[in-house]
Amino acid sequence: MPDYQPVPLPDWQSYSDDEMRRRAKDYLEDIQRRHSVRAFSDKPVPRDIIEACIRAAGSAPSGANHQPWHFVCVSDAETRRKIRIAAEHEEAEFYSGRAGEDWLEDLDKLGTDQHKPFLETAPWLIAIFLQRSGVDADGNKQKNYYMSESVGIATGFLLNALHRAGLATLTHTPNPMKFLSEILQRPATERPYMLLVVGHPADDATVPGAALQKKSLDEIASFV
Ligand code: IYR
């Protein structure tokens, strides 16, 4: 393995069982306060906070460490307006039939509809793109691996970083999302993966009550 150049774990921190217990519980309590928010304030969020969160996302593991993602952070009002118009166009189709009855019935409890004013109200939209292929250091086309797993993990890191920073988020997936590639001028090698809405919640923001219930530990895990 001529390319393998190992170094000792550079920055590992160890904790006692009690410290780990406390850290695990603190994290659990904090992340349980994350909720998808659909009503945002227009209060600005400084760009450097978004940058730190994107760097956290960029630290995610990925297939062969190819990091097959690109994050377009949009604060420009005109671009957010274009995205809103295009997204609402797709959502109108979705809610007026494309979704099908079962899907719409499943969404009843969320209180969503085709109107997405938050795409213009929130100070930041983060469009996440999955790179089907990349470019290596010599400019040659590079194969990527486990792209959706990798971008999913990075997106999870990003949501977590934003929440920890004190920001509200919405994972938004208008379908199809091709308009994002066009508006944001991304290459055909990239597939729009998800649109995150980021900012402070509106003072009168609400969340669905009973529909927020998460499955219990017994339901989601088994120990062998
Ligand atoms: N993209 C639509 C519909 C929607 C779909 C699912 I699955 C959700 O969990 C929530 C909404 C919208 O954003 O309204």
Side-chain angles (χ1 to χ4, degrees):
M1 285 189 290
D3 281 347
Y4 183 53
Q5 295 168 6
V7 293
L9 260 185
D11 39 19
W12 183 256
Q13 299 219 33
S14 348
Y15 303 100
S16 68
D17 284 0
D18 273 345
E19 284 169 321
M20 286 194 286
R21 208 162 272 126
R22 187 181 51 75
R23 290 172 61 86
K25 194 165 151 267
D26 284 353
Y27 177 73
L28 172 62
E29 279 172 12
D30 185 51
I31 203 64
Q32 282 179 329
R33 281 190 289 270
R34 185 213 59 83
H35 305 295
S36 291
V37 163
R38 291 186 170 82
F40 284 82
S41 136
D42 61 2
K43 185 177 168 183
V45 171
R47 172 172 158 166
D48 62 295
I49 298 171
I50 302 298
E51 287 178 353
C53 294
I54 297 287
R55 292 179 70 198
S59 77
S62 62
N65 195 32
H66 283 189
Q67 306 163 58
W69 44 64
H70 185 83
F71 303 91
V72 184
C73 307
V74 184
S75 60
D76 175 62
E78 184 52 36
T79 308
R80 282 184 293 132
R81 187 174 158 72
K82 283 185 192 160
I83 291 174
R84 176 189 178 176
I85 290 169
E88 285 187 332
H89 177 78
E90 298 300 347
E91 296 289 13
E93 299 281 319
F94 177 89
Y95 283 97
S96 66
R98 194 196 280 153
E101 259 175 52
D102 289 352
W103 196 346
L104 290 182
E105 209 175 290
D106 278 337
L107 293 182
D108 273 350
K109 58 180 181 293
L110 299 181
T112 55
D113 61 26
Q114 70 270 33
H115 303 295
K116 307 296 177 191
F118 50 75
L119 293 173
E120 279 189 88
T121 322
W124 289 97
L125 302 178
I126 304 179
I128 305 170
F129 290 86
L130 175 156
Q131 297 179 329
R132 293 191 191 91
S133 62
V135 186
D136 69 14
D138 303 323
N140 298 316
K141 187 174 167 179
Q142 190 180 47
K143 244 189 105 175
N144 284 337
Y145 310 95
Y146 298 104
M147 286 85 82
S148 50
E149 291 84 349
S150 302
V151 181
I153 295 169
T155 300
F157 276 34
L158 179 55
L159 284 171
N160 187 55
L162 293 163
H163 174 73
R164 262 193 74 123
L167 291 166
T169 54
L170 176 68
T171 47
H172 184 42
T173 50
N175 183 8
M177 279 190 284
K178 200 169 175 291
F179 65 85
L180 283 177
S181 303
E182 286 155 15
I183 294 171
L184 302 174
Q185 300 185 338
R186 297 309 302 169
T189 46
E190 291 183 0
R191 164 166 83 76
Y193 181 83
M194 195 174 286
L195 184 60
L196 298 190
V197 186
V198 180
H200 297 275
D203 287 336
D204 59 355
T206 58
V207 290
L212 284 188
Q213 190 68 39
K214 297 297 186 192
K215 291 181 182 175
S216 69
L217 178 64
D218 285 350
E219 288 172 292
I220 64 169
S222 40
F223 293 79
V224 179

